[in-house]
Amino acid sequence: MHDHLSSTFSALADPTRRAILARLALGETSVTELARPFEMSMPAVTQHLKVLERAGLISRGQEAQWRACRLEAGPLRDVDRKSTRLNSRH
């Protein structure tokens, strides 16, 4: 069984995915724009986006030819709450 918090931590473990989230924290953007700073194929970037989407960290939409990605902060708030509880026990 893979719980929601484990999915979030697993997605955050990769530096490329963290960089993608940092970019999305600035605002919604296209998949092409997200891929621009990385030296990897578009399919590789898409795989990273799928991991982030499955973890609930991003959402993707499509308007005509523009595929927008946006940050979904809910799972990050869950991580923050969990870490705060763990810190308060020490």
Side-chain angles (χ1 to χ4, degrees), residues 82-90:
K82 181 69 171 179
S83 64
T84 299
R85 280 188 292 221
L86 291 173
N87 285 333
S88 68
R89 292 181 184 175
H90 289 89

Side-chain angles (χ1 to χ4, degrees), residues 2 6 18 30 32 46:
H2 206 68
S6 294
R18 290 193 306 271
S30 70
T32 303
T46 299

Side-chain angles (χ1 to χ4, degrees), residues 3-89:
D3 65 84
H4 184 69
L5 198 57
S6 294
S7 294
T8 301
F9 278 117
S10 179
L12 293 173
D14 185 274
T16 300
R17 291 192 286 268
R18 290 193 306 271
I20 290 170
L21 290 175
R23 170 52 192 91
L24 289 173
L26 301 174
E28 178 177 288
T29 192
S30 70
V31 173
T32 303
E33 284 299 313
L34 284 173
R36 191 174 311 259
F38 303 107
E39 293 185 19
M40 62 179 68
S41 67
M42 189 60 79
V45 171
T46 299
Q47 272 306 115
H48 283 294
L49 295 175
K50 286 179 183 178
V51 170
L52 291 168
E53 192 171 28
R54 281 193 300 268
L57 291 164
I58 69 166
S59 59
R60 295 193 287 172
Q62 184 170 354
E63 293 180 29
Q65 297 298 315
W66 197 66
R67 295 190 62 86
C69 294
R70 71 188 56 81
L71 180 67
E72 297 293 339
L76 295 173
R77 283 192 288 272
D78 294 343
V79 168
D80 184 52
R81 280 193 290 274
K82 181 69 171 179
S83 64
T84 299
R85 280 188 292 221
L86 291 173
N87 285 333
S88 68
R89 292 181 184 175

